Amino acid sequence: MRWPTSTPGPSTPRPYCENCTMTTIDGRQVIPAADLPRRLAGVDDVLVGATPGRKLAVFPVGELPLPKSAKADIDALKAGQSGGVIAESTWQRLITELPGTAAAIGTGADISPETDSGSHVDPIKPGGQIVPNAGRYVKRTADPDGWEWLSANVLASKASKAEVEAIAGRFVSTVPGGYLEIDQDPEANVAFAVHADGTREFLRTKVGGMTVAMVDSSTAAVDGRIDWHGNYQEWAQGLAGYLANALLVEIDSVGRVGRILWADGSQWPSGTPEPTQFVLVDQASLPNGAQGENASGGWTCTGLDVISTGKWLGCRLVGNDGRAYEGSSGGQTAPFLCSIVCTSPDMRRILWEIPCNTAAFPGIQSIQGVAWDTSDDTIWFADKTNKIIRHISLAGVKLLDEIVVSHTLNGIAYRPDLDAIYTPDEGTNTIRLVSCADGSVLRTQTGIHPQADQLHYEQGRNRLWATVGANGVDGQALVYDADTMDLLETHTLKGSQSIEGIWYDPDAKSLLTVNDGGFHLSANPPLALACKYNYL
């Protein structure tokens, strides 16, 4: 721009505007800014002003300080870009780029429905789709409006704390800050909450008539009765017990308690959540050849143990009731053709059989349990009719140290470390541990299921296994602490519908059962079966 060099007179033309008042600064004529055509300033424009000494000064727009309001907007946009998501109030503000604020491709943005309820044509989506202004966006192109609408905002509504507390009961937070998640069961009972750092806090749940809730002392108060897989157990403190530092109580689909998780990460062995972790991997019909066998094959098995010492190591000992079918008085040729059968490890072949319906055991009818004595490689079996735990050699010779009991015999299990035998009193919750040396009662304990049938003692973990279950339905294995008779685990065994023997190998995590479905024809299938399960 060329500036006039003299002060214009009345006749001097005004080349820039008709009504401008020309002034002279530093020997140059200046047009006041108010007289200039109005337009937005660009970053390459300059402002010209006069200093107090009447000297001209040039100020590039790109170097001028920003007004406070504009600077706040720019700082907010830059902060949003550095965090990966820009929080903007309207769609129009999102696509209006101030100098130096262009969002990088891939940047996210969020517009609240509370500040922009309008809509627009998405510049990225094909077909001119109309989308709401509010929602989540991502920058796809370098154009100012190169934002693609992704989805509506994540939270359409947010429950108030009062609403949550009305459902969950009283919160006792163990970690400062809000909750990320509150989990509920199908009945809208709160199970646990997740804190911002991932910590799970047990809150309150209700299972039938039982209520569990966190109290001020960081313990979970228990009220009512808990259904442990069909077995009702009351707390020692009546209707009010405590689970110190319990974080989580798991329940299955029918409201039965499975396990309790403690704050230190340990688990209360109060049962295994359904379904069981034992998976059926093999199922075979018991072989033919035993006396009094079932019409469908095999025999009416009553008791199981594994020979763990001596010549027949690994082979299976199975009791034989001797009756062919339910309601019969005995076998095909004589009543109660009971025996002890030894099978191959896969239970598909009979190796030998010891008949027990002999003169050596007068009055014997049904055998209801068998056990291998590791101290001298001999066999114990339960003579239910005479209430005697019989003792025989591998040759079938009757030994003189039989144990006479006063209760109703059922399954038995040998405990090697005490040289003793567990024997429950059928129909009650009492079980006795009797000495094999002299037949004395070493312990009388309560707590076992009154329908406990066959037993197995697991020495490594000091566990006593017991079978329960009605005929025609999948049976269960209950696992107790052998010293306290506390119920620790419950396993429903698919495919074992008339369990009459159980044995567990903790090293292989393999469970073996025998089932007398050929006797109880309500079983499905109605066969004498051996079932193998692996723990997964």
Side-chain angles (χ1 to χ4, degrees), residues 389 402-407 409 418-425 430-446:
I389 302 176
E402 297 177 331
I403 302 172
V404 178
V405 299
S406 59
H407 60 273
L409 276 173
L418 300 179
D419 189 29
I421 291 176
Y422 283 103
T423 168
D425 187 355
T430 300
I431 186 170
R432 294 173 176 82
L433 182 65
V434 296
S435 169
C436 293
D438 57 16
S440 62
V441 177
L442 303 179
R443 296 177 186 172
T444 299
Q445 299 168 277
T446 58

Side-chain angles (χ1 to χ4, degrees), residues 213-237:
M214 189 71 79
V215 297
D216 291 336
S217 59
S218 296
T219 64
V222 181
D223 225 359
R225 301 165 75 99
I226 292 183
D227 182 355
W228 302 106
H229 296 262
N231 307 316
Y232 282 97
Q233 303 286 334
E234 284 194 17
W235 297 102
Q237 300 178 23

Side-chain angles (χ1 to χ4, degrees), residues 86-119:
I86 296 175
E88 194 51 273
S89 59
T90 67
W91 164 250
Q92 191 59 45
R93 285 180 61 87
L94 180 64
I95 63 175
T96 301
E97 293 182 349
L98 297 176
T101 65
I105 293 176
T107 301
D110 190 277
I111 298 176
S112 170
E114 298 177 356
T115 56
D116 194 339
S117 59
S119 61

Side-chain angles (χ1 to χ4, degrees), residues 316-526:
R316 285 27 175 169
L317 281 180
V318 185
N320 176 15
D321 173 81
R323 290 174 290 175
Y325 58 90
E326 194 166 12
S328 66
S329 60
Q332 287 86 339
T333 59
F336 295 103
L337 301 177
C338 56
S339 65
I340 304 296
V341 181
C342 180
T343 75
S344 57
D346 62 3
M347 303 199 75
R348 285 174 165 80
R349 183 163 60 97
I350 293 177
L351 303 180
W352 42 263
E353 181 180 20
I354 300 175
C356 298
N357 61 325
T358 65
F361 310 109
I364 191 170
Q365 293 183 353
S366 173
I367 287 178
Q368 286 295 324
V370 62
W372 177 255
D373 190 328
T374 58
S375 68
D376 56 6
D377 298 352
T378 55
I379 301 169
W380 297 89
F381 68 89
D383 178 350
K384 184 173 185 176
T385 306
N386 295 311
K387 296 186 177 180
I388 299 175
I389 302 176
R390 305 282 189 176
H391 196 193
I392 60 174
S393 68
L394 278 177
V397 176
K398 176 183 175 180
L399 302 177
L400 299 178
D401 53 349
E402 297 177 331
I403 302 172
V404 178
V405 299
S406 59
H407 60 273
T408 303
L409 276 173
N410 214 358
I412 59 174
Y414 179 72
R415 179 165 177 170
D417 60 329
L418 300 179
D419 189 29
I421 291 176
Y422 283 103
T423 168
D425 187 355
E426 185 179 33
T428 75
N429 67 351
T430 300
I431 186 170
R432 294 173 176 82
L433 182 65
V434 296
S435 169
C436 293
D438 57 16
S440 62
V441 177
L442 303 179
R443 296 177 186 172
T444 299
Q445 299 168 277
T446 58
I448 196 167
H449 195 288
Q451 296 177 359
D453 195 353
Q454 297 298 326
L455 303 179
H456 163 65
Y457 176 71
E458 179 194 341
Q459 184 169 356
R461 296 191 302 161
N462 191 34
R463 301 289 186 257
L464 184 66
W465 294 66
T467 65
V468 296
N471 298 315
V473 297
D474 292 328
Q476 293 182 319
L478 309 181
V479 186
Y480 296 89
D481 182 305
D483 290 334
T484 65
M485 291 309 298
D486 289 335
L487 178 62
L488 305 181
E489 303 170 31
T490 301
H491 304 283
T492 299
L493 303 176
K494 305 297 183 183
S496 288
Q497 296 208 338
S498 299
I499 305 178
E500 283 291 342
I502 189 166
W503 187 85
Y504 179 60
D505 180 354
D507 295 328
K509 293 187 177 180
S510 176
L511 184 69
L512 182 66
T513 68
V514 290
N515 306 268
D516 64 346
F519 178 81
H520 299 291
L521 300 181
S522 59
N524 183 20

Side-chain angles (χ1 to χ4, degrees), residues 3-4 6-8 13-17 19-25 28-32 35:
W3 296 88
S6 61
T7 302
R14 298 178 181 274
Y16 302 106
C17 61
N19 300 314
C20 293
T21 300
M22 303 297 291
T23 60
T24 301
I25 299 178
R28 289 176 287 183
Q29 292 181 345
V30 178
I31 301 174
D35 294 335

Side-chain angles (χ1 to χ4, degrees), residues 35-93:
D35 294 335
L36 289 173
R38 295 177 178 272
R39 68 174 178 85
L40 294 176
V43 294
D44 295 326
D45 289 338
V46 297
L47 295 179
V48 179
T51 66
R54 304 287 290 174
K55 299 289 185 181
L56 286 178
V58 178
F59 303 97
V61 170
E63 298 177 4
L64 292 175
L66 290 172
K68 291 183 179 180
S69 60
K71 185 176 186 304
D73 286 343
I74 293 175
D75 289 344
L77 289 171
K78 288 184 176 180
Q81 292 183 45
S82 65
V85 177
I86 296 175
E88 194 51 273
S89 59
T90 67
W91 164 250
Q92 191 59 45
R93 285 180 61 87

